Amino acid sequence: MKGIVFTEFLDLVESKFGLETVQQIIDESELESNGVYTSVGTYKFNEMVSLLTNLSKATKIAPNDLLRVYGLHFFDALVNNYGSILKSYKGPIELLSSIEGHIHVQVRKLYPDAELPQFETLEQTDEKLVLIYRSSRSLYPFAHGLMEKSFEHYGQNCDIKHELLKEDGSEVRFEIVKK
Ligand code: HEM
Protein backbone atom coordinates (compact mmCIF):
# COMPACT_ATOMS: atom_id res chain seq x y z
CA MET A 1 0.00 0.00 0.00
CA LYS A 2 1.31 3.42 -0.96
CA GLY A 3 2.65 5.74 1.70
CA ILE A 4 0.19 8.53 0.86
CA VAL A 5 -2.59 6.28 2.17
CA PHE A 6 -0.79 6.09 5.54
CA THR A 7 0.35 9.71 5.77
CA GLU A 8 -3.14 11.02 4.99
CA PHE A 9 -4.69 8.54 7.42
CA LEU A 10 -2.44 9.64 10.28
CA ASP A 11 -3.05 13.32 9.41
CA LEU A 12 -6.77 12.72 9.68
CA VAL A 13 -6.41 10.83 12.97
CA GLU A 14 -4.35 13.72 14.35
CA SER A 15 -6.88 16.36 13.30
CA LYS A 16 -9.90 14.43 14.62
CA PHE A 17 -8.49 12.71 17.72
CA GLY A 18 -5.16 14.40 18.48
CA LEU A 19 -1.48 13.52 18.37
CA GLU A 20 -1.74 11.30 21.47
CA THR A 21 -4.12 8.98 19.65
CA VAL A 22 -1.74 8.84 16.66
CA GLN A 23 1.09 7.82 18.99
CA GLN A 24 -1.13 5.33 20.85
CA ILE A 25 -2.27 3.46 17.74
CA ILE A 26 1.28 3.39 16.32
CA ASP A 27 2.56 1.94 19.60
CA GLU A 28 -0.20 -0.65 19.77
CA SER A 29 0.17 -1.74 16.16
CA GLU A 30 3.73 -3.18 16.26
CA LEU A 31 4.58 -1.92 12.79
CA GLU A 32 7.49 -3.09 10.65
CA SER A 33 7.84 0.53 9.45
CA ASN A 34 7.69 1.80 13.07
CA GLY A 35 4.99 4.17 11.87
CA VAL A 36 7.41 6.18 9.73
CA TYR A 37 5.90 6.68 6.28
CA THR A 38 6.88 8.70 3.21
CA SER A 39 4.17 9.45 0.69
CA VAL A 40 5.93 7.66 -2.20
CA GLY A 41 7.09 4.62 -0.21
CA THR A 42 5.29 1.27 -0.16
CA TYR A 43 4.23 -0.53 3.01
CA LYS A 44 2.35 -3.67 3.95
CA PHE A 45 -1.44 -3.47 3.84
CA ASN A 46 -1.41 -5.30 7.20
CA GLU A 47 -0.05 -2.13 8.79
CA MET A 48 -3.18 -0.24 7.72
CA VAL A 49 -5.38 -3.02 9.09
CA SER A 50 -3.58 -2.82 12.47
CA LEU A 51 -3.77 0.97 12.64
CA LEU A 52 -7.45 0.94 11.74
CA THR A 53 -8.27 -1.83 14.22
CA ASN A 54 -6.50 0.00 17.03
CA LEU A 55 -8.12 3.31 16.11
CA SER A 56 -11.48 1.58 16.20
CA LYS A 57 -10.72 0.21 19.70
CA ALA A 58 -9.53 3.60 20.93
CA THR A 59 -12.49 5.56 19.56
CA LYS A 60 -15.23 2.87 19.76
CA ILE A 61 -16.14 3.72 16.17
CA ALA A 62 -16.63 0.78 13.79
CA PRO A 63 -13.75 0.27 11.31
CA ASN A 64 -16.07 0.64 8.31
CA ASP A 65 -17.37 3.98 9.62
CA LEU A 66 -13.79 5.18 10.06
CA LEU A 67 -12.93 4.04 6.54
CA ARG A 68 -15.83 5.95 5.03
CA VAL A 69 -14.79 9.17 6.76
CA TYR A 70 -11.26 8.47 5.62
CA GLY A 71 -12.53 8.22 2.01
CA LEU A 72 -14.09 11.69 2.34
CA HIS A 73 -10.78 13.07 3.57
CA PHE A 74 -8.68 11.22 0.98
CA PHE A 75 -10.57 12.84 -1.87
CA ASP A 76 -9.24 16.23 -0.74
CA ALA A 77 -5.74 14.77 -0.73
CA LEU A 78 -6.29 13.59 -4.31
CA VAL A 79 -7.41 17.08 -5.34
CA ASN A 80 -4.29 18.56 -3.74
CA ASN A 81 -1.82 16.02 -5.09
CA TYR A 82 -3.31 14.83 -8.38
CA GLY A 83 -5.48 17.77 -9.44
CA SER A 84 -4.22 17.48 -13.02
CA ILE A 85 -5.76 14.00 -13.38
CA LEU A 86 -9.09 15.11 -11.90
CA LYS A 87 -9.29 18.28 -14.00
CA SER A 88 -10.16 16.41 -17.17
CA TYR A 89 -13.61 15.42 -15.85
CA LYS A 90 -16.69 17.60 -16.16
CA GLY A 91 -18.78 15.83 -13.52
CA PRO A 92 -18.80 13.08 -10.89
CA ILE A 93 -20.41 10.34 -12.98
CA GLU A 94 -17.86 10.82 -15.72
CA LEU A 95 -15.11 10.84 -13.10
CA LEU A 96 -16.25 7.70 -11.29
CA SER A 97 -16.79 5.77 -14.52
CA SER A 98 -13.20 6.60 -15.55
CA ILE A 99 -11.35 5.24 -12.52
CA GLU A 100 -10.75 1.85 -14.05
CA GLY A 101 -9.96 2.92 -17.64
CA HIS A 102 -8.04 6.14 -17.01
CA ILE A 103 -7.42 7.34 -13.45
CA HIS A 104 -5.97 4.23 -11.90
CA VAL A 105 -4.19 3.49 -15.19
CA GLN A 106 -2.28 6.77 -14.67
CA VAL A 107 -1.67 5.83 -11.03
CA ARG A 108 -0.24 2.48 -12.12
CA LYS A 109 2.19 4.31 -14.46
CA LEU A 110 3.39 6.46 -11.56
CA TYR A 111 3.52 3.55 -9.09
CA PRO A 112 3.82 0.13 -10.74
CA ASP A 113 3.49 -1.51 -7.30
CA ALA A 114 0.16 0.20 -6.41
CA GLU A 115 -2.51 -2.14 -5.06
CA LEU A 116 -5.61 -0.88 -6.80
CA PRO A 117 -9.21 -2.10 -6.79
CA GLN A 118 -11.12 -3.00 -9.94
CA PHE A 119 -14.27 -1.18 -10.98
CA GLU A 120 -16.65 -2.61 -13.54
CA THR A 121 -19.35 -0.33 -14.96
CA LEU A 122 -22.67 -2.14 -15.31
CA GLU A 123 -24.89 0.82 -16.14
CA GLN A 124 -24.25 4.47 -16.90
CA THR A 125 -26.59 7.37 -17.69
CA ASP A 126 -26.33 11.12 -16.98
CA GLU A 127 -28.10 10.52 -13.66
CA LYS A 128 -27.03 7.06 -12.57
CA LEU A 129 -24.01 4.80 -12.33
CA VAL A 130 -23.91 1.16 -11.32
CA LEU A 131 -20.44 -0.15 -10.50
CA ILE A 132 -18.96 -3.32 -9.11
CA TYR A 133 -16.00 -2.82 -6.77
CA ARG A 134 -13.59 -5.74 -6.51
CA SER A 135 -10.56 -5.89 -4.22
CA SER A 136 -9.10 -8.44 -1.83
CA ARG A 137 -8.62 -5.50 0.57
CA SER A 138 -12.37 -4.95 0.99
CA LEU A 139 -12.01 -1.19 1.32
CA TYR A 140 -15.49 -0.55 -0.08
CA PRO A 141 -16.47 1.95 2.66
CA PHE A 142 -13.37 3.95 1.66
CA ALA A 143 -14.65 3.85 -1.94
CA HIS A 144 -18.07 4.98 -0.68
CA GLY A 145 -16.53 8.06 0.96
CA LEU A 146 -14.58 8.89 -2.20
CA MET A 147 -17.74 8.60 -4.29
CA GLU A 148 -19.70 10.91 -1.98
CA LYS A 149 -16.93 13.50 -2.07
CA SER A 150 -16.69 13.27 -5.86
CA PHE A 151 -20.25 14.64 -6.06
CA GLU A 152 -19.59 17.32 -3.46
CA HIS A 153 -16.52 18.39 -5.45
CA TYR A 154 -18.80 19.37 -8.35
CA GLY A 155 -21.44 20.93 -6.06
CA GLN A 156 -23.81 17.99 -6.54
CA ASN A 157 -25.58 15.51 -4.27
CA CYS A 158 -26.17 11.80 -4.67
CA ASP A 159 -27.73 8.72 -3.14
CA ILE A 160 -25.41 5.75 -2.86
CA LYS A 161 -26.66 2.24 -2.14
CA HIS A 162 -24.32 -0.69 -1.81
CA GLU A 163 -24.85 -4.42 -1.72
CA LEU A 164 -22.22 -6.96 -0.69
CA LEU A 165 -21.95 -9.57 -3.43
CA LYS A 166 -19.38 -11.41 -1.32
CA GLU A 167 -19.76 -11.53 2.42
CA ASP A 168 -16.15 -10.45 3.05
CA GLY A 169 -16.70 -7.20 1.12
CA SER A 170 -14.28 -8.11 -1.66
CA GLU A 171 -17.05 -7.70 -4.25
CA VAL A 172 -19.61 -4.93 -3.80
CA ARG A 173 -22.26 -3.48 -6.09
CA PHE A 174 -22.71 0.30 -5.90
CA GLU A 175 -25.75 2.12 -7.23
CA ILE A 176 -25.06 5.84 -7.40
CA VAL A 177 -27.92 8.20 -8.31
CA LYS A 178 -27.63 11.95 -8.76
CA LYS A 179 -30.12 13.92 -6.62
C1 HEM B 1 -6.43 3.34 -3.97
C2 HEM B 1 -4.88 7.10 -6.56
C3 HEM B 1 -9.43 8.33 -7.57
C4 HEM B 1 -11.00 4.39 -5.27
C5 HEM B 1 -5.64 4.29 -4.54
C6 HEM B 1 -4.21 4.45 -4.27
C7 HEM B 1 -3.78 5.50 -5.00
C8 HEM B 1 -4.91 6.02 -5.73
C9 HEM B 1 -2.34 6.07 -5.04
C10 HEM B 1 -3.38 3.60 -3.31
C11 HEM B 1 -2.77 2.41 -3.97
C12 HEM B 1 -1.90 1.62 -3.01
O1 HEM B 1 -2.03 1.79 -1.81
O2 HEM B 1 -1.04 0.82 -3.44
C13 HEM B 1 -5.98 7.74 -7.07
C14 HEM B 1 -5.92 9.00 -7.81
C15 HEM B 1 -7.21 9.35 -8.09
C16 HEM B 1 -8.07 8.30 -7.53
C17 HEM B 1 -4.64 9.75 -8.15
C18 HEM B 1 -7.74 10.58 -8.80
C19 HEM B 1 -7.01 11.56 -9.26
C20 HEM B 1 -10.25 7.40 -6.99
C21 HEM B 1 -11.68 7.53 -6.91
C22 HEM B 1 -12.14 6.43 -6.28
C23 HEM B 1 -10.97 5.59 -5.95
C24 HEM B 1 -12.53 8.72 -7.43
C25 HEM B 1 -13.59 6.22 -6.01
C26 HEM B 1 -14.16 5.15 -5.63
C27 HEM B 1 -9.89 3.79 -4.68
C28 HEM B 1 -9.97 2.73 -3.69
C29 HEM B 1 -8.65 2.43 -3.32
C30 HEM B 1 -7.79 3.32 -4.09
C31 HEM B 1 -11.24 2.12 -3.15
C32 HEM B 1 -8.18 1.45 -2.23
C33 HEM B 1 -7.55 0.19 -2.73
C34 HEM B 1 -8.51 -0.99 -2.75
O3 HEM B 1 -9.72 -0.82 -2.47
O4 HEM B 1 -8.05 -2.10 -3.05
N1 HEM B 1 -6.03 5.25 -5.44
N2 HEM B 1 -7.28 7.34 -6.95
N3 HEM B 1 -9.84 6.22 -6.41
N4 HEM B 1 -8.57 4.11 -4.91
FE1 HEM B 1 -7.92 5.60 -6.11
Side-chain angles (χ1 to χ4, degrees):
M1 176 163 261
K2 296 309 296 177
I4 188 174
V5 185
F6 290 90
T7 54
E8 288 298 330
F9 179 75
L10 294 177
D11 279 356
L12 179 66
V13 174
E14 183 180 343
S15 73
K16 299 260 185 208
F17 306 107
L19 203 50
E20 274 176 32
T21 306
V22 173
Q23 200 53 56
Q24 182 191 337
I25 64 170
I26 287 176
D27 291 346
E28 288 169 353
S29 297
E30 293 178 14
L31 307 165
E32 211 175 273
S33 69
N34 293 317
V36 181
Y37 302 104
T38 66
S39 63
V40 293
T42 303
Y43 307 89
K44 290 210 173 104
F45 174 60
N46 273 355
E47 296 208 358
M48 181 51 70
V49 176
S50 300
L51 289 166
L52 185 69
T53 307
N54 285 313
L55 182 64
S56 173
K57 278 187 199 146
T59 59
K60 310 217 161 34
I61 300 172
N64 281 352
D65 291 341
L66 292 167
L67 271 178
R68 182 164 161 191
V69 173
Y70 181 36
L72 298 172
H73 170 84
F74 196 71
F75 190 88
D76 293 334
L78 292 177
V79 173
N80 291 332
N81 291 280
Y82 302 97
S84 56
I85 300 181
L86 288 170
K87 255 201 321 244
S88 42
Y89 301 103
K90 289 193 277 307
I93 291 188
E94 194 193 335
L95 166 69
L96 295 174
S97 64
S98 305
I99 302 168
E100 181 69 21
H102 176 240
I103 297 178
H104 279 171
V105 174
Q106 301 301 313
V107 173
R108 166 96 48 222
K109 284 184 196 158
L110 291 171
Y111 313 115
D113 58 351
E115 297 175 306
L116 297 163
Q118 270 189 342
F119 287 99
E120 182 187 347
T121 301
L122 294 188
E123 199 183 320
Q124 182 177 359
T125 68
D126 290 345
E127 310 280 310
K128 184 177 172 186
L129 185 65
V130 181
L131 291 176
I132 297 194
Y133 163 91
R134 290 190 182 90
S135 166
S136 59
R137 289 166 292 282
S138 302
L139 294 173
Y140 66 90
F142 178 68
H144 195 295
L146 282 164
M147 290 171 185
E148 279 175 71
K149 227 8 196 309
S150 300
F151 276 77
E152 221 181 290
H153 180 68
Y154 293 97
Q156 297 181 22
N157 286 310
C158 65
D159 254 337
I160 303 178
K161 290 199 184 76
H162 74 271
E163 181 197 345
L164 267 57
L165 303 179
K166 287 195 178 150
E167 219 176 316
D168 65 359
S170 61
E171 197 171 312
V172 180
R173 182 182 186 276
F174 281 98
E175 195 170 306
I176 307 151
V177 180
K178 186 178 160 184
K179 275 203 289 196

